[in-house]
Amino acid sequence: MEQFLTFGIVGLSTAAVYAVVGSGLVLTYVTTGVFNFAHGAAGMLAAFAYWQLTEGWGWPVPVALAVVLLVLAPAFGAAVERFLLRPVQDLGEAERLVMTVALLSGLIAAARWVWDPNVARPLPTFFADRRPFHVGPATVTWHQALTMLVAVAAAAVLWFLLNRTRTGAEMRATVDDRALVRLNGGDPARAGRAAWVLGTQLAAIGGILIAPTVALDAAQLSLLIVSAYTAAVFGRLRSLPLTFAGAVVVGCLESYLTGYLPQNAFLPGLRLAAPALLLFAALLVFPHRRLRGRDRRLARVPLPTMRGTAVFAAATVLLGVVLASVLDVPDLVAVAPVFSLGVVALSYVPLAGYAGQISLCQLSVAGIGAVVWAHLGADGSPWALAAAVAVSAVAGALIAVPALRLSGVYLALGTAAFAVVLDRWIFTLPTFEVLGVRIALFEQGSVEVAGPSLLGRALDGEAELTVFAAACLALASLGVAALRRGRFGRRLIALRDSEAAYATLGGNLLFARVAVFALAAGIAGLGGALYGMQQRSITPEQFNLVAGLPLFLVAVVGGLGAVGNGLFAGTALVAPNALLGLAPWVQNLVALLPGLAGMGLGHNPDGIVPRFRTRWETLTADRTVLPALLCTLAVAWVLRLAGVINGWTLFGGALIVALLFRALASARAAREADVPVEWWGVRRAWRPEDGEVLARGVARG
């Protein structure tokens, strides 16, 4: 009984932290309609700042607390609201969600930049010099007691603020109708700023309270928010009492699993994954009302031509051949994952771009494909690659079935929980058997991965694997373009536009969602297998939730509806790594770039790929300048093969030349646009569409 009570006290103290952090999540969501995925990262940043002031610089604890909670946290919350969330407030739910995911990724990268993750930073508990006291047979430390008192005080203050003050009423009304708030003399910007400031302060309190009991690690502290997610979902993102009840359930579950879980090789990860499993269960069991502040901003999904996609696919393969022929092996190892990670990023196009389904676990699913290939494809058999795609597709279908009733934020939370369960538990399992079939994953370490064999030839060199991955990306891009032009692609877009209308007109929601999740997971599994081949050895850390966030962000920034987004995302994610060989000091900056790119989404919500295509249309349409550019690039390639120039000179020069030729094509197009109609065919070449333009002009005249 004494042990039971002791673990209960520990669980309640942990629950108090989850309650404080979860109440901040609920506050932000109820008052602004934004679910803040970066809430835990704000608490992490506050914990690091508190350590820096107290342990690093020797400030007194009261002064450090005052600076962090009354100066730094409010300033940070106000800055996030003003410069990141306010520009996307009028956009759709997905854009606001992406902004907070970008902030999460950026804060983790920034914290690792400022505070070396390889250096231990222990924090003492509050009142560590005082002797614990007893509650019956259980021993309670003063830190635990303080944590529980702070949680109760935070609950009382929040309830009074939201239900008994004009500011609270203004904050709650803002998310429902900002225009009506203005008509009644309120200020939505002020209400949003107040919510973000207070929510950030609550996250800071939670981070500082829990930091002494866990390792001061950026990713670990940020992902403690998964437990707070679970508490908030218990409260259905609106009820503070239910949020506190959920926090108690999560905290006590973690504590009792620590004390009573049987000791064997299969269960240690279960305790770490328990909050994510509970989150997934809560999402499925509890009813969810209409999402607060939910609106839809439906962007047009471009319709690619098969001819244009074929040209793009050929260019992708050609790029792979060029990279394989001009780069040395060390440089190729750094750059080659452009194509394999591009395949994983391409999986977002049918899933999120066409069907509107948000997923944060695509890289985790890619890990499944990598593991299947590693174990079945040791001899390079092509059928093992098909098996990797099929097993990944089955995993995607299994995700889709329980997630059928989820959408928006809830679906993002569910897929994030699935990713956490994979990397904290499933990927850590030792080898086991099911019905006599031996199943091996990462075998609690790293797994060696071999290359494929085609027509009796083993593709085990870096150059060969690069060309093979480029060909796979090209074929996958052709398939996604064909999907968009086909009947099923149109059905997916109809599903995205209105699930209710889709079902009313006879569409099968279950089949459509399961099919698109399976398709996207199969594409991701293919990318994971290719990535494993290129890495030669894989570990679970390469496929966890934190590693997948930059890929998700870059894919969203590229434009989820564009078939070319796979190549763009892979290039944007991997190409900066090439700088590490030239300047290793930029490593932290490179890690920060995806988060910064995601934060800039508000300025270009439709994506970079469509904008890029528009800017280069004049060059691709110019039948004089484009051949000249291709000939120039071909000459440069020959010079590199002859050893006259090096690879970096080739790529740098090619970029400069392409920009110059684009400027030339734009100037020619501008001149032709100013040619009077009577000089068409004289001062510029006659175009097939000119006859139709003249006929319409004569008809109007």
Side-chain angles (χ1 to χ4, degrees), residues 265-618:
F266 296 93
L267 296 180
L270 176 60
R271 184 187 65 81
L272 299 176
L277 288 169
L278 194 59
L279 170 61
F280 201 75
L283 287 168
L284 297 179
V285 172
F286 294 156
H288 305 298
R289 300 180 184 177
R290 181 182 64 89
L291 290 170
R292 298 282 296 185
R294 185 180 183 186
D295 52 4
R296 302 185 66 86
R297 180 186 180 276
L298 299 176
R300 178 180 174 272
V301 180
L303 180 66
T305 63
M306 293 308 299
R307 179 180 178 182
T309 307
V311 172
F312 170 77
T316 300
V317 176
L318 181 60
L319 176 60
V321 173
V322 171
L323 290 176
S325 61
V326 304
L327 291 182
D328 298 329
V329 172
D331 294 329
L332 196 57
V333 169
V335 174
V338 162
F339 303 106
S340 55
L341 292 179
V343 174
V344 181
L346 184 65
S347 69
Y348 284 106
V349 175
L351 182 63
Y354 298 170
Q357 308 299 310
I358 300 174
S359 173
L360 297 181
C361 66
Q362 292 304 101
L363 189 62
S364 299
V365 174
I368 296 175
V371 167
V372 173
W373 168 258
H375 291 288
L376 299 183
D379 57 353
S381 300
W383 70 267
L385 191 60
V389 173
V391 173
S392 301
V394 171
L398 293 177
I399 298 171
V401 172
L404 180 63
R405 65 190 297 268
L406 305 178
S407 62
V409 168
Y410 299 125
L411 182 58
L413 285 171
T415 54
F418 183 80
V420 172
V421 171
L422 281 179
D423 61 62
R424 290 187 179 179
W425 184 26
I426 303 300
F427 285 163
T428 65
L429 292 175
T431 302
F432 59 95
E433 290 188 1
V434 176
L435 300 177
V437 178
R438 180 177 179 272
I439 298 178
L441 300 175
F442 286 93
E443 299 177 344
Q444 298 178 308
S446 61
V447 179
E448 300 300 318
V449 185
S453 295
L454 293 179
L455 302 177
R457 176 183 173 85
L459 306 181
D460 53 4
E462 301 298 337
E464 296 168 324
L465 289 174
T466 299
V467 176
F468 179 69
C472 289
L473 176 58
L475 292 175
S477 299
L478 285 170
V480 171
L483 173 69
R484 169 64 181 90
R485 297 181 61 82
R487 182 179 181 183
F488 185 60
R490 294 192 296 271
R491 284 177 172 269
L492 292 179
I493 295 173
L495 173 69
R496 179 203 66 161
D497 293 345
S498 175
E499 293 184 359
Y502 180 82
T504 302
L505 295 175
N508 189 323
L509 285 175
L510 175 61
F511 172 79
R513 293 188 70 171
V514 170
V516 73
F517 264 93
L519 173 64
I523 297 174
L526 172 63
L530 296 172
Y531 183 68
M533 296 174 195
Q534 293 177 322
Q535 295 298 301
R536 304 302 178 99
S537 177
I538 55 174
T539 63
E541 290 74 20
Q542 293 173 287
F543 302 98
N544 62 25
L545 175 63
V546 174
L549 292 180
L551 185 66
F552 169 73
L553 293 173
V554 173
V556 172
V557 170
L560 292 174
V563 174
N565 194 21
L567 181 60
F568 167 82
T571 304
L573 193 65
V574 175
N577 292 334
L579 299 175
L580 300 180
L582 303 176
W585 56 270
V586 303
Q587 179 177 0
N588 291 309
L589 178 60
V590 169
L592 192 60
L593 287 178
L596 294 177
M599 294 177 201
L601 180 67
H603 301 289
N604 191 19
D606 293 327
I608 293 177
V609 173
R611 187 177 180 181
F612 182 85
R613 185 189 300 115
T614 300
R615 289 193 172 187
W616 288 81
E617 275 181 346
T618 53

Side-chain angles (χ1 to χ4, degrees), residues 67-232:
V67 170
V68 173
L69 298 180
L70 302 180
V71 179
L72 297 181
F76 179 78
V80 169
E81 188 278 331
R82 174 63 183 85
F83 297 107
L84 295 182
L85 272 302
R86 195 180 300 179
V88 298
Q89 189 65 46
D90 295 329
L91 298 181
E93 178 189 18
E95 285 79 6
R96 299 197 297 269
L97 174 67
V98 168
M99 191 64 67
T100 61
V101 172
L103 186 60
L104 169 62
S105 177
L107 290 180
I108 291 175
R112 287 174 170 172
W113 187 352
V114 176
W115 294 281
D116 186 355
N118 297 316
V119 177
R121 294 180 174 83
L123 259 178
T125 59
F126 289 101
F127 305 113
D129 55 339
R130 295 194 177 185
R131 297 182 60 184
F133 59 93
H134 295 274
V135 176
T139 301
V140 183
T141 67
W142 286 94
H143 182 89
Q144 293 171 333
L146 175 66
T147 302
M148 289 184 273
L149 288 175
V150 168
V152 173
V157 170
L158 283 178
W159 182 88
F160 182 80
L161 173 68
L162 292 176
N163 296 280
R164 292 293 185 268
T165 66
R166 177 179 175 83
T167 301
E170 185 180 63
M171 292 164 67
R172 287 185 289 110
T174 295
V175 68
D176 291 328
D177 196 326
R178 297 172 69 88
L180 188 59
V181 170
R182 292 191 188 96
L183 289 175
N184 285 275
D187 185 352
R190 180 181 60 199
R193 183 168 55 251
W196 277 94
V197 166
L198 186 54
T200 305
Q201 286 178 306
L202 290 171
I205 293 172
I208 292 173
L209 287 174
I210 203 170
T213 62
V214 297
L216 200 58
D217 176 77
Q220 182 178 348
L221 275 176
S222 298
L223 290 185
L224 283 173
I225 194 64
V226 173
S227 300
Y229 289 164
T230 308

